[in-house]
Amino acid sequence: MPRKARLNVPGAVYHIMGRCLDHLTLFADDADREQFLSLLALYLERTGTKCYAWVLMDNHYHLVLRLSDRKLWELMKPLNMHYAHYHRKKN
């Protein structure tokens, strides 16, 4: 059974967490972190989303975001997809 659609409220603040399965390493070094943050900056600008805080751990990340009138997936899908392509190519 599919999950229910996420509630998207323009102007709402969201705590987002993303992690690897099986405790695999998501950010092995500073180059990985810089790549993720540059992608995050790109998609924040494209969607008009504000980022109030971020934390990058070895196997997961946390973001505190205020949505614009765009949907959350319009930021998260390309961010995660492009970082996954980078990570797969590097490793």
Side-chain angles (χ1 to χ4, degrees):
M1 177 177 196
R3 70 168 178 80
K4 292 183 180 182
R6 186 180 322 272
L7 182 63
N8 281 282
V9 179
V13 175
Y14 289 83
H15 170 231
I16 307 297
M17 188 186 100
R19 66 179 178 90
C20 283
L21 297 175
D22 300 324
H23 302 286
L24 297 174
T25 300
L26 184 60
F27 305 109
D29 54 28
D30 286 341
D32 291 349
R33 291 176 187 86
E34 289 172 13
Q35 177 67 24
F36 182 85
L37 291 174
S38 68
L39 289 169
L40 176 62
L42 172 69
Y43 292 111
L44 287 171
E45 185 177 337
R46 285 187 182 179
T47 61
T49 303
K50 303 286 185 208
C51 182
Y52 293 119
W54 50 264
V55 176
L56 305 181
M57 309 300 282
D58 288 345
N59 67 341
H60 70 284
Y61 62 85
H62 295 265
L63 305 172
V64 178
L65 306 173
R66 182 178 298 276
L67 292 184
S68 65
D69 59 342
R70 308 280 291 271
K71 304 277 189 212
L72 181 59
W73 71 263
E74 293 179 61
L75 166 73
M76 298 309 299
K77 182 178 178 180
L79 172 64
N80 287 328
M81 181 182 68
H82 285 111
Y83 185 74
H85 289 174
Y86 159 82
H87 193 270
R88 190 174 331 131
K89 186 176 180 180
K90 180 181 175 189
N91 297 305

